[in-house]
Amino acid sequence: MLSTTETGAYRVVSGQAVVVDARNVVRPDLIAFDLRGLDPFAIECVPVERLAVVVEIVSPTSRQDDRVRKPALFAAHKVPYYWRVELDRDQKLAVHEYWLNADTLAYFHAPSHPVHHDKLVTELPFPVEVDLEALVGF
């Protein structure tokens, strides 16, 4: 679990509604958003422009959405980071870390660590270290 202290100005929450545009409200599995200037007790839907990272956990029923539709949607709205969590071929937890290409509005694998196994360690959008093996045993 990430606390607000560990993430600076960001709040990390699960199941929070995100307003993408006038016709689309989505509920990612996990988001981190910029809390500055917002009342955390009054937020019903987080504006997409406040998102720092979206995390989607792939299941058999969400595979197409989490791999294709949602990354395209969030990239088009300039969310800087997208992480996809799923079981790999060996049934081990894998976190695919993507960064936004601001010119093409498409995600690409993070250059130094595109897929995390065993432990998620990254510095962007803020320092994160998660023992993935411990999550599977949870």
Side-chain angles (χ1 to χ4, degrees):
M1 180 91 153
L2 299 172
S3 71
T4 304
T5 317
E6 295 166 323
T7 59
Y10 297 103
R11 169 73 50 98
V12 178
V13 295
S14 63
Q16 178 72 44
V18 173
V19 178
V20 177
D21 57 38
R23 297 181 183 192
N24 292 294
V25 174
V26 293
R27 231 176 250 285
D29 293 317
L30 190 71
I31 61 170
F33 65 97
D34 186 347
L35 189 58
R36 291 175 290 194
L38 297 176
D39 179 353
F41 300 106
I43 298 173
E44 213 172 296
C45 295
V46 175
V48 71
E49 60 272 9
R50 293 298 192 120
L51 299 183
V53 62
V54 170
V55 182
E56 291 291 356
I57 302 168
V58 177
S59 69
T61 60
S62 71
R63 182 168 283 134
Q64 182 73 12
D65 275 351
D66 294 342
R67 288 184 174 179
V68 180
R69 188 183 70 80
K70 286 183 179 179
L73 179 71
F74 290 118
H77 287 85
K78 302 179 182 176
V79 175
Y81 303 99
Y82 184 87
W83 300 349
R84 189 180 75 231
V85 181
E86 62 189 336
L87 293 176
D88 65 13
R89 291 181 184 156
D90 298 327
Q91 298 300 299
K92 290 185 72 174
L93 202 58
V95 177
H96 299 261
E97 182 181 351
Y98 296 96
W99 295 1
L100 180 67
N101 178 319
D103 294 329
T104 64
L105 295 181
Y107 290 113
F108 63 94
H109 271 108
S112 59
H113 37 69
V115 182
H116 301 267
H117 294 94
D118 303 321
K119 186 178 276 193
L120 165 64
V121 179
T122 189
E123 293 298 315
L124 298 170
F126 42 77
V128 174
E129 186 170 327
V130 178
D131 182 350
L132 299 175
E133 288 189 348
L135 289 177
V136 174
F138 177 64

